Amino acid sequence: MSNTDSFIEEVSEEVRRDRLYAALKRWGWVGVVVVLLAVGGASFNEWRKAQARAEAQAFGDSLLAALDTQDMEAAADAALAIETAQPGQEAVAKHLAAAAALASEQTSEALDALRAVEANPQVSPIYRDLAAFKAALAAPQDTPAEERIAAFDAITGPFRALAQEQKALAMIGAGDLDGAVEILRSLSDLAEATPGLRRRTSELIVALGADIGDSDAQ
């Protein structure tokens, strides 16, 4: 029985080996393809990471080069001329250009850059909200109070509290003290309001002769 069992086991082993070789001949290329795809995918992923790092470094170098001047007008032009690969990079470059333009009293150019960011749906909302807030702040001094108030009132998102503070200031400039006090009091209920902002609004309410907790100006 032992010789017979041994013979059967040897035959079975040969049959399994033959089947394995046949399967490898028929499907072995699948394993090779899987390995190649895995290696190729990993290599492509590393290449993309390297490309992203190179683009980010090139963009950063361009920003530094634009800032490396005492001439803010030239800095604004250089920032606007930066070639960008992503909407976020373009937004950062335009924000930088707007800041440089404002420093060189080029209000119109600054507003153009900020409004371009605000109007671009591909840009992150925080960049658009910041552009809207900065554009409202940069409005010329002869802008009618109603337009300034409307611009600040339209701002939402993380800059809403700061915009409401500026709206109150614009209302004060327009002579609407009661309305300004009401806006200032409401700021304490906004989640975006920082302790510093709450302190400023409380001081301003007192300076206007109103009580912080009262509903009417004194």
Side-chain angles (χ1 to χ4, degrees):
M1 291 294 294
S2 61
N3 290 336
T4 302
D5 292 342
S6 177
F7 174 75
I8 292 174
E9 288 179 1
E10 289 180 5
V11 171
S12 298
E13 183 66 27
E14 287 295 329
V15 170
R16 285 194 294 269
R17 188 178 296 111
D18 290 343
R19 288 177 177 175
L20 175 62
Y21 288 156
L24 287 175
K25 287 181 180 179
R26 184 176 181 182
W27 302 108
W29 64 272
V30 175
V32 174
V33 170
V34 169
V35 171
L36 290 176
L37 287 175
V39 173
S43 299
F44 179 71
N45 190 41
E46 288 301 317
W47 176 81
R48 287 187 60 185
K49 289 180 179 179
Q51 285 291 102
R53 285 194 297 268
E55 289 177 0
Q57 183 174 354
F59 176 65
D61 290 343
S62 298
L63 288 180
L64 291 175
L67 289 172
D68 190 22
T69 176
Q70 298 298 320
D71 186 344
M72 289 296 98
E73 184 174 347
D77 292 339
L80 289 174
I82 293 175
E83 295 184 3
T84 57
Q86 302 173 9
Q89 292 180 349
E90 180 181 354
V92 171
K94 279 185 165 50
H95 272 290
L96 174 62
L102 288 173
S104 60
E105 299 182 352
Q106 295 179 290
T107 303
S108 178
E109 289 78 359
L111 289 175
D112 287 344
L114 293 170
R115 286 166 181 160
V117 175
E118 185 183 358
N120 189 347
Q122 294 182 319
V123 173
S124 172
I126 193 168
Y127 287 134
R128 300 203 305 270
D129 292 340
L130 179 58
F133 179 59
K134 290 170 66 175
L137 284 175
Q141 292 298 319
D142 59 354
T143 301
E146 295 79 9
E147 291 185 17
R148 295 176 63 86
I149 291 170
F152 286 120
D153 203 34
I155 294 171
T156 59
F159 303 101
R160 180 187 174 197
L162 291 173
Q164 288 297 300
E165 179 187 26
Q166 294 299 319
K167 174 186 174 182
L169 293 175
M171 293 173 75
I172 292 172
D176 186 2
L177 301 186
D178 290 345
V181 169
E182 184 179 351
I183 294 296
L184 292 169
R185 287 193 184 119
S186 69
L187 284 175
S188 61
D189 297 328
L190 295 180
E192 310 95 307
T194 63
L197 176 58
R198 290 189 172 96
R199 183 177 62 254
R200 291 198 305 274
T201 56
S202 297
E203 292 171 352
L204 187 53
I205 289 172
V206 172
L208 291 172
D211 185 82
I212 295 174
D214 197 358
S215 60
D216 297 317
Q218 302 297 320

